[in-house]
Amino acid sequence: MPHKYVLKPSFSARGPENFTINYEEDLTGEQLPVVKSKNGPALIIAGAGSGKTRTVTYRVAYLVESGVPLENILLVTFTNKAAREMTHRVETLLKRPIGNLWAGTFHHIGNRVLRKHARQVGYSQNFTILDRSDGKDLLDRCVKEAGIDTKAKKFPKGNVLQDIYSYICNTQIAIHKAFESKYAYLFEFQAEIKKVLEIYDERKKTQNLMDFDDLLVKWLDLLVENPDIKDRYAERFEYILVDEYQDTNLLQAQIIDLLASKHRNVMVVGDDSQSIYSFRGAEFRNIIDFPKKYPDCQIFKLELNHRSTPEILHFANDSIANAEERFEKNLKPVRKKGVAPVVVPFRDVYKQAAFVAQRILELHDAGMSLNDMAVIYRSHYHCLELQVELTRRSIPHEVRSGMRLFEEAHIKDVTSYLKVFHNPYDGLAWMRILRLLPKIGQKTADKIWKLISKSEDPVAKIKSIDALAEIPASAKDTFSNFQVLIKALERMAQSPSAMIQTILENGYSDYLRMSYPNFANRQEELEELSNYALEYKSLEQFLSSLALIGDTAAEDIVSAGEGGDKEAVVLTTVHQAKGLEWKTVFVIWLAEGRFPSYKTFGNKKEEEEERRLFYVAVTRSKDQLYLAYPLVYQSREGTVVMKASRFINEISEHRYDKWVVEEEGMSEDGPSSARDKGDGDKWGEWDDDGIKVVEWGRL
């Protein structure tokens, strides 16, 4: 039986002479009561930069020093990195190994439990865990087993089916509800997809396989269907700590409730204002409703922020105060006075990019490392113009929001169409687009390329009827449609923007829907690429620009300083930036419809999550915060006038400075640095992009 005791601040089981940690000296007045809290359920609302990780690790150390056996403590994190960091910190505090502590991600703990009780869920203990690639391959085989002829009709690929399966598992939503809410574009395939997923579950069981979702689903099934096993673990885990509780889904919350059913010493730590992962199943209500589930829970708030200046925190507090539902908290600064956040509008996205690049150079010249700067945006494609500008100025940068936009598969697919009109003998481009055609395999593509490569005019040759002789009968209609597309693209070969849009409208959008779980984001990126291409007068200019950007991929993070450390500005979405911090942060594209995204309009729940995204973006900054947006945007539909994001308009103007930017031409050798006026205001001079900061002060 596990050790029985009651936590006492006096450590009556061990005398003061045995103390190894001075909690009163090491912890703040907010953190100490959490670490020494009494038994029972507890909710810790940990604001951004408030020392959450420190508090959790000291709590574990406190439990151990109080006499709680390591094997009776469960610490659940959301990443393996967080688990390693926390266990390392606890070992450092206690000055001894803590190998018996149950610590790790939900999936890690689930795997550990299921290895012992696999038979109770119909598996053998030596089950194999499928990675995402293997899971996709198995789903593709299940499609064939279901008798679905993917050559005769378009059907979602394995990775799309995988996304549907995972979403259903983690949200505990009925499959028909999932198609109504998230996968409406696949509604016509609902019955077939359901059959495929049923076969998938059967094959996993017969082959003794589990995917990552099973590690949670089967774990929950084990606890629900085997009360004796549930009671055994509920008895074992006297103290349960859950990090980032705002990111838990319904499955994970149910598992924790079952494990805590005996002792009820469950401490969940998180920040409702940083709940931003609903797209992958996280349930905001888990943290909001915790006090309803555990009416006797203690609620602690960590509001003392060690990261940001008072000005940045006041700005963040004003923003999140507009949230319709949240726990009341007010971030309080430890640091002294800094500079106010800056809001700056620009004529267009190119001037926005030029300003960010110029300011980065100025800060770097003033001694700030590129590693201390980040540009944050709502969606991956928002960094398109900035990538071009940073490359043009040879500013090292690292894209963390995904692959470099110009290296992603869908961008390379579409630009391959463009390349064959610029260089008709580009065999790589021809092979790429031919392999995209339904029912055209590698052998057929090779034959077509061999045929057209010998021609004086490959484009003319592929349009000719005799090319059809190389095509299987089942693919002739597909290839005929492809020839029609080639003819249409040839007529607009000097308008890369029109070409991209035409490719999208003639089959490629359908291909995206069936091939990628995030097809909407990819389509949006291609539409943005089409708008970006409007700036180029010829296909050659456009392709050359993309090629030069791609060529810097291996060179853009350069050595700097005597230590040879790598230096690069980080470009990242808000989702990828969560948990990180930089001295200077630029938040770009803060226009209504972009941040917040127009896709969330009319959906109150999603609009509220957009506000939390903005809050997360703002609180990444330690010293300087720049908030930028374009006033005018050029699209294929014409000129679009942009409005400042509601998240800016909601903030009292005394919380930020507004910089007004004027534009004017100047000579190439004109100065670009800012200087102070006698009255303290800063005035910028013309830079080589024709940008001038007229006033860097309050309006």
Side-chain angles (χ1 to χ4, degrees):
M1 294 290 289
H3 177 71
K4 298 293 183 183
Y5 69 97
V6 176
L7 277 182
K8 295 181 179 179
S10 62
F11 291 91
S12 59
R14 305 174 62 193
E17 69 277 6
N18 292 320
F19 284 8
T20 59
I21 304 170
N22 190 331
Y23 296 93
E24 284 73 13
E25 183 176 305
D26 292 353
L27 300 168
T28 68
E30 290 181 337
Q31 296 166 346
L32 186 62
V34 176
V35 170
K36 291 191 171 185
S37 62
K38 63 182 181 180
N39 288 344
L43 170 62
I44 318 304
I45 301 300
S50 62
K52 169 180 67 69
T53 300
R54 184 179 186 83
T55 305
V56 172
T57 52
Y58 270 79
R59 172 64 175 176
V60 174
Y62 180 84
L63 292 173
V64 175
E65 284 210 327
S66 300
V68 184
L70 287 165
E71 60 268 21
N72 298 143
I73 301 172
L74 174 64
L75 171 61
V76 187
T77 64
F78 263 80
T79 65
N80 291 314
K81 179 181 177 182
R84 289 192 299 269
E85 180 183 355
M86 287 189 180
T87 53
H88 174 71
R89 287 196 189 188
V90 175
E91 287 180 334
T92 301
L93 287 171
L94 296 173
K95 296 180 173 58
R96 66 184 177 91
I98 55 170
N100 291 334
L101 176 73
W102 283 67
T105 64
F106 275 95
H107 295 89
H108 172 81
I109 303 297
N111 175 56
R112 187 172 173 180
V113 171
L114 289 169
R115 291 293 176 188
K116 295 182 179 181
H117 307 284
R119 287 187 178 85
Q120 281 82 356
V121 291
Y123 281 77
S124 299
Q125 288 183 325
N126 63 337
F127 63 81
T128 301
I129 299 175
L130 292 168
D131 60 24
R132 287 196 63 83
S133 177
D134 289 338
K136 171 192 173 298
D137 291 344
L138 180 57
L139 276 163
D140 283 331
R141 291 199 296 272
C142 292
V143 170
K144 293 181 180 178
E145 192 173 339
I148 299 168
D149 186 358
T150 56
K151 292 184 177 179
K153 60 186 278 189
K154 293 177 181 176
F155 192 77
K157 294 186 178 179
N159 54 342
V160 176
L161 299 174
Q162 197 172 44
D163 189 71
I164 297 170
Y165 182 85
S166 185
Y167 183 75
I168 292 169
C169 287
N170 288 292
T171 60
Q172 298 287 278
I173 192 173
I175 188 168
H176 70 278
K177 292 289 186 181
F179 279 99
E180 289 174 5
S181 61
K182 188 175 181 181
Y183 303 100
Y185 67 98
L186 295 174
F187 194 83
E188 63 179 298
F189 303 108
Q190 180 177 345
E192 292 166 302
I193 291 174
K194 184 178 180 181
K195 181 180 179 181
V196 170
L197 297 185
E198 288 171 351
I199 295 173
Y200 178 60
D201 275 332
E202 291 172 5
R203 293 300 160 264
K204 284 188 297 179
K205 196 164 187 177
T206 58
Q207 297 176 37
N208 205 31
L209 304 170
M210 287 194 196
D211 58 26
F212 286 109
D213 297 312
D214 289 324
L215 296 177
L216 299 183
V217 173
K218 304 302 181 187
W219 185 12
L220 180 60
D221 289 345
L222 175 71
L223 299 176
V224 171
E225 296 171 8
N226 299 273
D228 58 325
I229 295 176
K230 184 265 291 183
D231 290 343
R232 191 187 314 172
Y233 283 98
E235 180 70 30
R236 171 191 286 272
F237 296 130
E238 293 186 73
Y239 290 89
I240 299 173
L241 298 93
V242 186
D243 188 28
E244 302 287 9
Y245 190 71
Q246 79 280 349
D247 294 334
T248 54
N249 58 39
L250 291 174
L251 261 176
Q252 293 160 334
Q254 290 174 54
I255 289 169
I256 292 299
D257 291 340
L258 289 169
L259 296 177
S261 59
K262 171 68 175 176
H263 300 288
R264 299 183 76 254
N265 296 324
V266 54
M267 176 178 284
V268 299
V269 185
D271 184 1
D272 55 298
S273 298
Q274 297 188 67
S275 178
I276 60 173
Y277 293 113
S278 65
F279 69 92
R280 66 185 188 196
E283 179 50 66
F284 175 68
R285 301 232 61 85
N286 283 349
I287 192 167
I288 287 293
D289 292 342
F290 189 84
K292 297 177 184 176
K293 189 188 301 181
Y294 296 94
D296 59 332
C297 78
Q298 306 169 79
I299 299 179
F300 299 91
K301 296 179 183 179
L302 303 180
E303 300 173 294
L304 202 60
N305 179 283
H306 302 264
R307 175 187 299 155
S308 305
T309 62
E311 290 79 4
I312 292 172
L313 295 184
H314 294 327
F315 188 97
N317 286 331
D318 277 12
S319 175
I320 203 63
N322 292 288
E324 290 197 353
E325 192 171 14
R326 68 188 182 96
F327 288 105
E328 289 293 330
K329 67 176 177 301
N330 188 52
L331 294 180
K332 302 166 187 174
V334 171
R335 299 179 56 191
K336 303 301 181 184
K337 182 177 175 62
V339 296
V342 172
V343 173
V344 53
F346 296 94
R347 184 189 71 188
D348 56 34
V349 293
Y350 304 100
K351 296 303 180 185
Q352 175 183 254
F355 167 79
V356 172
Q358 184 63 31
R359 192 73 187 118
I360 287 170
L361 288 176
E362 291 173 348
L363 291 169
H364 189 251
D365 288 344
M368 185 179 293
S369 169
L370 296 178
N371 295 334
D372 290 325
M373 293 180 256
V375 184
I376 300 178
Y377 34 83
R378 172 64 182 84
S379 299
H380 183 37
Y381 74 89
H382 289 164
C383 69
L384 192 155
E385 296 85 8
L386 184 60
Q387 282 191 59
V388 173
E389 185 65 19
L390 294 177
T391 301
R392 187 180 73 81
R393 294 183 182 229
S394 300
I395 300 175
H397 56 284
E398 176 187 355
V399 182
R400 292 189 186 170
S401 50
M403 293 177 65
R404 285 175 168 274
L405 205 59
F406 308 106
E407 297 171 355
E408 296 209 38
H410 57 297
I411 303 293
K412 296 182 77 171
D413 287 346
V414 170
T415 54
S416 288
Y417 276 95
L418 276 57
K419 288 177 180 179
V420 300
F421 288 96
H422 176 60
N423 173 16
Y425 292 97
D426 186 337
L428 292 175
W430 277 116
M431 289 299 291
R432 189 176 188 102
I433 59 179
L434 288 169
R435 291 291 287 113
L436 286 171
L437 302 179
K439 305 173 189 177
I440 300 292
Q442 185 66 44
K443 288 184 179 179
T444 302
D446 285 336
K447 289 180 181 179
I448 297 171
W449 166 240
K450 187 175 181 180
L451 175 69
I452 66 174
S453 64
K454 296 176 181 178
S455 169
E456 293 183 0
D457 188 346
V459 174
K461 186 66 175 177
I462 207 164
K463 290 188 302 177
S464 68
I465 193 68
D466 62 343
L468 282 172
E470 304 294 336
I471 308 301
S474 62
K476 289 193 183 293
D477 288 343
T478 293
F479 193 78
S480 293
N481 292 335
F482 171 68
Q483 288 177 309
V484 171
L485 175 58
I486 291 295
K487 291 174 184 177
L489 294 175
E490 188 176 32
R491 291 193 295 270
M492 56 184 74
Q494 289 310 308
S495 175
S497 176
M499 293 176 78
I500 294 170
Q501 202 64 37
T502 300
I503 294 164
L504 274 171
E505 294 169 358
N506 287 271
Y508 196 74
S509 287
D510 292 334
Y511 170 79
L512 288 176
R513 278 193 287 273
M514 297 299 120
S515 302
Y516 299 106
N518 63 340
F519 86 91
N521 292 338
R522 292 176 184 256
Q523 174 142 337
E524 199 169 30
E525 288 168 6
L526 285 167
E527 289 171 350
E528 179 64 20
L529 185 67
S530 174
N531 293 331
Y532 173 74
L534 289 169
E535 293 293 309
Y536 293 87
K537 297 178 181 178
S538 72
L539 184 58
E540 180 179 352
Q541 288 180 355
F542 178 66
L543 291 175
S544 296
S545 174
L546 300 193
L548 291 172
I549 294 168
D551 189 51
T552 64
E555 302 175 359
D556 63 353
I557 301 179
V558 298
S559 293
E562 294 180 2
D565 294 331
K566 303 297 184 182
E567 242 195 296
V569 176
V570 169
L571 310 186
T572 178
T573 59
V574 187
H575 288 103
Q576 294 285 56
K578 185 174 177 291
L580 303 176
E581 60 184 39
W582 295 271
K583 288 183 178 179
T584 297
V585 168
F586 301 85
V587 185
I588 61 173
W589 267 110
L590 272 168
E592 199 69 3
R594 298 304 176 98
F595 198 168
S597 169
Y598 67 90
K599 296 177 185 176
T600 66
F601 290 176
N603 185 318
K604 185 57 65 176
K605 182 178 179 181
E606 292 183 2
E607 287 182 354
E608 284 296 289
E609 184 157 319
E610 292 289 299
R611 184 185 311 284
R612 298 194 293 270
L613 275 167
F614 180 68
Y615 176 81
V616 170
V618 168
T619 54
R620 299 311 93 199
S621 178
K622 295 195 285 188
D623 299 336
Q624 298 185 47
L625 176 64
Y626 299 88
L627 307 154
Y629 64 95
L631 295 168
V632 174
Y633 178 64
Q634 296 297 332
S635 73
R636 286 183 49 76
E637 286 71 37
T639 300
V640 179
V641 177
M642 310 290 283
K643 294 193 300 182
S645 169
R646 68 189 70 178
F647 303 138
I648 293 176
N649 289 332
E650 289 170 350
I651 306 295
S652 301
E653 289 192 2
H654 74 279
R655 292 296 192 201
Y656 59 84
D657 290 346
K658 189 163 187 178
W659 292 4
V660 179
V661 174
E662 289 184 354
E663 298 163 24
E664 180 176 292
M666 72 160 293
S667 62
E668 290 186 358
D669 58 351
S672 61
S673 60
R675 57 184 173 82
D676 278 319
K677 281 180 54 181
D679 59 5
D681 285 339
K682 293 181 179 178
W683 292 72
E685 301 183 10
W686 301 113
D687 70 9
D688 58 2
D689 293 286
I691 287 184
K692 181 181 180 183
V693 177
V694 177
E695 182 178 347
W696 294 15
R698 293 189 179 89
L699 295 182

